[in-house]
Amino acid sequence: MTTTVLDHPLLHHKLSLIRDRKTPGSLFRALIEEAGLLLAVEATRQLPTESVVVETPLERTGTQRLKSLDPVLVPVLRAGLGFLPAFLQLMPTAKVGHLGLYRDHDSLVPVPYYRNFPPLLEARPVFILDPMLATGGSASEAVRQLKAAGGVNLVLVSLLAAPEGLARLQADHPDLHLVVGAVDRQLNERGYILPGLGDAGDRLFGTA
Ligand code: PRP
Ligand code: URA
């Protein structure tokens, strides 16, 4: 697995606010979106481009643009929705799939409950959006489902990862590209990332 940890002062600053339990929900949501924007710039670094010629007001010039087949964004519900506006801001014509997964509280095994993927997955770059990579069970299941649906070129975008989740993904999907904001210390006995940020879905949507 290729893992890129985004080391950027703006992301460090935003993470310090995101981690803070006193940060209110509205600000938390805005910060997750801003962190998503920074991660999106890195995650899209390998997007294929093609050469074109345009007329500037002064002369003709060769330049690059994205190849025409739009990428696919797949937020893993619920917390992945926090990254979606940032990715759509940068790629407004992207197709959006949805994947509903929740972790069973006792077993921590992901339970699928919704799935809707756009066509032509095999030909498109696919960005899986989930801020939290804890045991890695949800991300591994998301990648498994996208591969089964034809996806080949998959990038997982997370904000925080635990070493346990990285090891799980490396074992299950060595071909995956992961872009992550930070790798934290460990999981606690309930599968939460330490030091982490708490429950991302609950903080995003006010359901704690
Ligand atoms: C969270 C998070 C990930 C998952 C990570 O979702 O958004 O999808 O946990 O944990 P894992 O790596 O151990 O699988 P959660 O199950 O809490 O659902 P929610 O976003 O709907 O709250
Ligand atoms: N899901 C979260 O939202 N937070 C964690 O720390 C682990 C899983």
Side-chain angles (χ1 to χ4, degrees):
M1 182 170 70
T2 314
T3 301
T4 305
V5 182
L6 188 64
D7 185 15
H8 192 290
L10 286 175
L11 188 69
H12 294 308
H13 179 76
K14 291 180 195 310
L15 257 178
S16 75
L17 297 165
I18 287 169
R19 289 185 191 277
D20 190 336
R21 65 185 305 165
K22 295 195 293 298
T23 297
S26 55
L27 179 57
F28 182 86
R29 207 177 308 120
L31 288 161
I32 290 287
E33 186 175 331
E34 291 164 13
L37 208 44
L38 294 168
L39 290 162
V41 170
E42 180 60 35
T44 51
R45 192 179 286 281
Q46 310 290 336
L47 276 180
T49 58
E50 61 190 5
S51 300
V52 290
V53 174
V54 300
E55 297 262 359
T56 78
L58 300 173
E59 63 178 21
R60 279 165 70 84
T61 185
T63 181
Q64 299 282 312
R65 71 176 173 203
L66 291 178
K67 287 205 167 162
S68 58
L69 207 53
D70 291 317
V72 173
L73 311 174
V74 182
V76 176
L77 310 181
R78 295 174 299 162
L81 291 172
F83 278 166
L84 188 60
F87 277 73
L88 279 175
Q89 190 180 335
L90 292 180
M91 296 179 282
T93 60
K95 311 301 178 204
V96 181
H98 290 84
L99 181 59
L101 298 176
Y102 71 87
R103 290 198 312 180
D104 178 86
H105 276 297
D106 297 320
S107 67
L108 300 184
V109 172
V111 181
Y113 62 89
Y114 185 74
R115 169 185 162 149
N116 187 333
F117 296 155
L120 293 179
L121 279 182
E122 64 284 357
R124 302 178 189 273
V126 178
F127 297 92
I128 305 166
L129 312 181
D130 193 338
M132 308 306 282
L133 177 59
T135 66
S138 302
S140 182
E141 172 64 12
V143 174
R144 189 193 68 74
Q145 288 207 26
L146 282 157
K147 283 181 175 173
V152 183
N153 179 357
L154 305 177
V155 181
L156 171 67
V157 185
S158 295
L159 182 58
L160 293 184
E164 294 89 333
L166 296 181
R168 168 78 186 266
L169 281 185
Q170 175 64 47
D172 291 357
H173 302 290
D175 52 337
L176 186 68
H177 181 195
L178 168 69
V179 175
V180 65
V183 179
D184 276 8
R185 193 177 71 246
Q186 66 183 98
L187 297 179
N188 72 7
E189 64 291 347
R190 293 190 302 129
Y192 279 85
I193 298 173
L194 297 176
L197 55 77
D199 189 304
D202 282 348
R203 291 188 69 188
L204 275 170
F205 300 112
T207 47

